[in-house]
Amino acid sequence: MNTELPKLHTFHIPVMGTGFTIDSPIKVAKYGISSVISLVDDTLMEQMRKFYANKYGETYEPITDSDPDRRAHRVTEYLNLINRIVEKEFEQLKNSAFEKESDICKYFELLPDSSPVKGAYLKMMQLPKGLEKENAQQKLREQMRVGSIDVNIMTKLDRPRIVDGKPVYDEFSEALANLRGYAQSTLRSAIVFSAGLNQRLYSYLENFKDFYANSSGDIKKRVVLKVSDFRSSFVQSKIFAKKGIWVSEFRVESGLNCGGHAFASAGFLLGPILQEFNTKRTELYQKMKKIYLMALDDKKLPVPREVKPFKVTAQGGIGTAAEDKFLQEHYALDGTGWGSPFLLCPEAANVDNDTLKKLVDAAEGDLYLSDSSPLGIPFNNLKTSSAEEDKQRRIKTGNPGSPCIKGSLRFNDEFGEFLCQASIKYQTKKLALLKEQNLSEEEFNKQFSRITSKACICHQLGNGVLQKYGIIPDGSQPVAVCPGPNLAFFSKVLTLKELVDHIYGRINVLNNRPRLNLFLKELELNIRHLQHYLDDLVPHLNDKQQDYAEEFCKNLFDSITYYRQLFNETIESTQIFGEKALEQLEDFAARLQDIVASHHLTYQAASN
């Protein structure tokens, strides 16, 4: 059986937070749209399993904390429930009547206008009642595809078990338990690995047969890598190929022009990265295929008759149909990911009413790259969220920090026990030490701000969906949200049809705020990040930091050179790159030159 039928849509909904896409497949998979569930929060999954079991009349047996493998069991049971619901609802939709405004008509009307299936649907609707129309409808039903129920593991979130006060990394560590839970589920889908490589986690895949191809080349559970550059794609896919596991897709995500955690990639920008993928794609495929087939032979595993080419998709900051079309056509992409705009679409994602209103009202200044994550990774944030308001209230009342309810980010052990840097306990201990250092007022305030900037994201990112469904009282818990900067240009609650129509260029739902194209916005964000990095370190830049800053500048200047050529070559053929974009590009080049000069960096762009 072919495990990956051709997709009819050209976009997917990436993972958003822990709760915003926790049940998105139930909402959109029946329309053929793929989405990604986070596996971080097993407690949230258990709460959602109870909710949906009750809603759909299924028996619910709780998986309690006394279960030694509770995380894996919760993941498996939740995903199996989601799969049953999606399969049932898709079959009902598939076999329903083609009536005006019905779900089956909505399925086909959502498809891109370029789709032959969409064309066949429109032709069928014009036919008079009779055998020809019935046959056409049956052919359409045969071409319908359910959206993929994909899952995400953030590889760095691999909290160990604590035994006698010491960390123990074994099959019960967080990431491995999540993987085991997915591997044992009934899903035919993909697992998306993000945030870099985890050798222990990748090696653990070898224990589960669903990740291996059969003799036809079909894979029940596919591996997808979310990456921010070509080199990491090569390194990670080689690790998998040596294990006899094929990477089916590379999801290239903008390092900073995205939601959630943001990984600054030392000035490597999306356009040049996609160009490298496009140029070296065949070479990468051939190299990986050779390693992969040798590994299968060594393991005496079935060697597929055909090794299917991997897919390359891109996500992060896409805001218009023209941008989407350009990326897919110019870089030969297999699809795109649209994330943050779906936060405004209740038919696809989960946002409580209070947060939804704040997202609708958010201006560019309300969306910022914060230091809130206890992981020490920049985190996209909303200044007006109830979580941020709660954090500031606690600071003002002399009780900074958050209650550590779930403890998913208890990684810091400087006080002899594993604590989350956002917790009340950690910040209380850290601030007590700070007061003993007799620092200047300026330095004290700087250090105080660094400590208290950390906020709970493992618990508070899931509160929105719980309040939306009445699982906890509305407004009872602070809600964190992590939209990308692109959200500032979407300013109303959107139906699924409106947003999909926008993606495919049938309507425009952007507000009237001036908007940089996605390449220029990413460039601006990187320049801003570099400036912040340097300002925070001045005047104590060491040699390593100086080298990093100069490498960052070099890569940005190289990207600017690439964009000059790209914009000039495509200025006549796209709606994206005009004279104004070229002027804006030169303004950013000048800003970068000012940073080089003001911080006495040695690198200068060769073209300037």
Side-chain angles (χ1 to χ4, degrees):
M1 179 179 178
N2 191 330
T3 62
E4 189 184 6
L5 296 168
K7 293 179 180 178
L8 299 180
H9 282 284
T10 64
F11 74 94
H12 64 267
I13 303 175
V15 65
M16 290 190 285
T18 57
F20 304 117
T21 56
I22 190 73
D23 63 345
S24 290
I26 292 178
K27 301 171 183 289
V28 302
K30 63 184 177 183
Y31 299 117
I33 299 171
S34 300
S35 58
V36 187
I37 294 172
S38 169
L39 299 186
V40 167
D41 193 340
D42 65 305
T43 302
L44 178 63
M45 281 184 272
E46 184 67 3
Q47 290 172 295
M48 294 301 294
R49 185 169 72 89
K50 180 180 180 181
F51 172 81
Y52 273 110
N54 291 335
K55 181 176 180 178
Y56 284 86
E58 292 209 14
T59 301
Y60 169 74
E61 293 291 338
I63 300 170
T64 67
D65 290 347
S66 62
D67 184 333
D69 200 17
R70 63 182 177 276
R71 174 174 284 275
H73 290 161
R74 286 171 174 173
V75 170
T76 300
E77 292 305 315
Y78 181 65
L79 295 179
N80 286 348
L81 174 61
I82 293 288
N83 197 26
R84 290 195 299 273
I85 293 171
V86 167
E87 287 181 347
K88 180 180 179 181
E89 296 212 332
F90 178 66
E91 285 303 311
Q92 289 176 344
L93 183 152
K94 186 177 177 181
N95 294 310
S96 62
F98 282 89
E99 297 174 348
K100 189 177 180 180
E101 297 185 0
S102 65
D103 268 356
I104 194 168
C105 287
K106 181 177 179 179
Y107 179 101
F108 290 100
E109 287 164 4
L110 288 175
L111 296 176
D113 293 343
S114 60
S115 166
V117 177
K118 173 80 168 282
Y121 163 76
L122 294 174
K123 184 178 179 180
M124 179 278 295
M125 291 298 284
Q126 298 301 315
L127 294 173
K129 288 184 178 180
L131 184 60
E132 183 182 4
K133 190 180 186 80
E134 291 174 4
N135 289 337
Q137 290 176 348
Q138 182 57 33
K139 288 181 180 179
L140 286 170
R141 289 190 174 96
E142 291 170 359
Q143 295 181 82
M144 293 175 72
R145 303 287 181 262
V146 67
S148 186
I149 307 170
D150 298 333
V151 302
N152 174 259
I153 288 182
M154 192 172 175
T155 58
K156 302 301 184 186
L157 293 183
D158 193 15
R159 186 165 51 117
R161 288 191 302 145
I162 305 300
V163 180
D164 298 328
K166 295 181 180 180
V168 176
Y169 286 95
D170 57 14
E171 70 272 20
F172 295 101
S173 68
E174 190 166 294
L176 271 66
N178 285 335
L179 175 60
R180 182 166 61 257
Y182 171 69
Q184 294 174 344
S185 74
T186 57
L187 289 180
R188 289 182 174 270
S189 64
I191 185 165
V192 183
F193 292 117
S194 62
L197 66 87
N198 179 332
Q199 290 278 16
R200 288 181 59 257
L201 180 64
Y202 292 178
S203 294
Y204 194 52
L205 260 76
E206 296 180 83
N207 294 286
F208 304 101
K209 61 182 178 60
D210 283 358
F211 293 106
Y212 293 96
N214 62 18
S215 57
S216 300
D218 297 322
I219 306 170
K220 183 174 181 180
K221 289 182 168 65
R222 293 167 283 114
V223 170
V224 173
L225 296 180
K226 187 191 290 186
V227 295
S228 57
D229 61 72
F230 182 83
R231 181 181 176 278
S232 67
S233 304
F234 178 83
V235 170
Q236 293 188 74
S237 59
K238 186 176 180 180
I239 291 171
F240 283 111
K242 287 181 176 179
K243 301 177 186 300
I245 294 173
W246 186 247
V247 172
S248 297
E249 180 183 336
F250 297 100
R251 288 191 176 171
V252 186
E253 182 173 70
S254 168
L256 294 180
N257 196 14
C258 61
H261 284 95
F263 297 85
S265 52
F268 292 103
L269 300 187
L270 189 62
I273 292 168
L274 293 178
Q275 184 62 52
E276 187 173 12
F277 266 97
N278 195 20
T279 302
K280 299 179 178 178
R281 186 170 181 163
T282 301
E283 178 187 356
L284 178 61
Y285 171 77
Q286 294 297 341
K287 285 182 177 179
M288 292 305 107
K289 179 181 176 181
K290 182 178 180 181
I291 297 169
Y292 172 66
L293 293 177
M294 287 177 61
L296 291 177
D297 188 57
D298 289 344
K299 287 189 168 189
K300 301 189 180 342
L301 291 170
V303 176
R305 293 188 295 272
E306 175 192 7
V307 180
K308 296 176 183 177
F310 54 74
K311 294 182 178 180
V312 179
T313 60
Q315 58 194 49
I318 307 170
T320 69
E323 290 176 348
D324 187 275
K325 181 180 179 182
F326 177 82
L327 290 177
Q328 296 197 49
E329 292 182 352
H330 189 78
Y331 298 109
L333 298 181
D334 298 290
T336 55
W338 285 66
S340 294
F342 275 99
L343 290 172
L344 300 180
C345 180
E347 291 179 66
N350 297 303
V351 179
D352 61 288
N353 290 332
D354 175 67
T355 305
L356 183 60
K357 184 179 185 306
K358 290 175 177 177
L359 290 172
V360 167
D361 295 339
E364 282 189 86
D366 296 319
L367 304 165
Y368 74 112
L369 198 57
S370 74
D371 296 319
S372 295
S373 173
L375 293 174
I377 301 167
F379 183 74
N380 281 288
N381 215 334
L382 175 67
K383 287 182 179 178
T384 58
S385 73
S386 58
E388 282 298 293
E389 290 173 347
D390 181 69
K391 181 177 75 174
Q392 295 303 324
R393 178 186 61 78
R394 288 179 175 276
I395 292 171
K396 288 179 181 178
T397 57
N399 187 33
S402 304
C404 195
I405 296 173
K406 294 177 179 174
S408 294
L409 304 183
R410 289 177 184 162
F411 291 114
N412 187 285
D413 63 350
E414 64 183 286
F415 295 111
E417 59 180 318
F418 285 89
L419 298 173
C420 173
Q421 292 185 30
S423 67
I424 294 172
K425 190 172 185 179
Y426 174 84
Q427 293 191 12
T428 299
K429 289 177 177 289
K430 196 71 174 175
L431 290 173
L433 288 180
L434 182 65
K435 291 174 183 177
E436 297 174 358
Q437 294 180 31
N438 296 318
L439 300 174
S440 66
E441 182 178 358
E442 180 182 358
E443 185 61 24
F444 177 88
N445 290 337
K446 188 176 182 180
Q447 296 298 328
F448 180 90
S449 179
R450 283 180 176 172
I451 295 167
T452 59
S453 66
K454 307 304 179 189
C456 173
I457 59 172
C458 69
H459 176 60
Q460 293 178 355
L461 278 173
N463 284 337
V465 62
L466 297 178
Q467 292 181 175
K468 178 179 179 179
Y469 291 138
I471 298 171
I472 62 174
D474 192 28
S476 63
Q477 294 285 331
V479 176
V481 65
C482 50
N486 200 34
L487 191 75
F489 306 100
F490 297 82
S491 296
K492 67 174 185 175
V493 177
L494 297 164
T495 65
L496 182 62
K497 186 177 188 307
E498 285 176 324
L499 190 43
V500 173
D501 283 351
H502 174 81
I503 292 170
Y504 291 141
R506 296 189 280 256
I507 63 172
N508 176 25
V509 299
L510 291 178
N511 56 35
N512 294 322
R513 293 171 184 156
R515 179 182 177 276
L516 294 168
N517 69 57
L518 82 162
F519 290 147
L520 289 176
K521 183 62 179 180
E522 184 188 40
L523 174 60
E524 179 195 41
L525 292 168
N526 274 267
I527 291 174
R528 192 187 305 169
H529 179 79
L530 176 63
Q531 183 73 66
H532 177 75
Y533 174 82
L534 291 167
D535 290 347
D536 198 43
L537 292 171
V538 167
H540 307 295
L541 218 65
N542 60 35
D543 290 344
K544 184 177 180 180
Q545 292 162 339
Q546 178 98 2
D547 290 344
Y548 173 78
E550 291 177 352
E551 176 68 14
F552 205 117
C553 285
K554 176 188 180 302
N555 293 331
L556 288 182
F557 277 127
D558 289 346
S559 294
I560 289 170
T561 300
Y562 169 82
Y563 285 138
R564 281 195 188 104
Q565 181 177 349
L566 177 70
F567 289 10
N568 278 304
E569 288 177 351
T570 59
I571 195 169
E572 301 294 334
S573 59
T574 76
Q575 306 171 33
I576 310 169
F577 313 125
E579 292 294 339
K580 185 176 181 180
L582 280 165
E583 292 173 6
Q584 291 167 329
L585 182 63
E586 295 309 322
D587 288 341
F588 288 128
R591 282 173 58 179
L592 189 55
Q593 286 284 20
D594 289 342
I595 291 174
V596 168
S598 62
H599 291 281
H600 308 291
L601 302 178
T602 58
Y603 175 78
Q604 294 286 338
S607 59
N608 287 347

